[in-house]
Amino acid sequence: MSENYSFKNRDDLTEYIKSEIINTTEALEILQCTRQNLNNLVQRGVLNPIKDLPRDRLFFKEDIVKRKNDMDKKANK
């Protein structure tokens, strides 16, 4: 995935971050799973955080939503 992003100004970048980057708590809400399960997904390489912070991680919202959709498809089989 080699996407190029271009932002005209700082406000554009800020809006992008607000709408497309989520933290661990937001990821847990979307996935409806435990922190332990999320950590397991990261350790197995199923999800890749874009940044690890001392007490949090940042993810692309698109990756988390895609994982949720995959989980829902498996559950409905």
Side-chain angles (χ1 to χ4, degrees):
M1 169 172 38
S2 76
E3 296 179 34
N4 291 322
Y5 298 97
S6 178
F7 303 101
K8 294 179 184 175
N9 54 46
R10 187 180 181 130
D11 290 338
D12 285 353
L13 174 60
T14 301
E15 276 305 308
Y16 177 81
I17 291 170
K18 285 181 180 179
S19 65
E20 300 300 326
I21 307 299
I22 61 173
N23 66 12
T24 300
T25 302
E26 293 165 319
L28 294 174
E29 289 174 7
I30 292 169
L31 293 172
Q32 298 175 336
C33 71
T34 63
R35 189 172 297 268
Q36 182 178 9
N37 189 8
L38 181 64
N39 289 339
N40 185 278
L41 292 170
V42 170
Q43 288 174 348
R44 292 186 345 216
V46 175
L47 290 174
N48 296 311
I50 55 174
K51 184 163 184 166
D52 276 309
L53 302 167
R55 296 182 148 258
D56 209 354
R57 289 185 173 123
L58 300 178
F59 297 91
F60 282 112
K61 185 176 184 178
E62 176 184 356
D63 295 344
I64 300 299
V65 170
K66 182 181 182 305
R67 177 63 187 169
K68 174 64 173 162
N69 291 337
D70 291 347
M71 290 167 49
D72 289 347
K73 285 179 187 173
K74 286 181 184 178
N76 290 330
K77 283 188 175 182

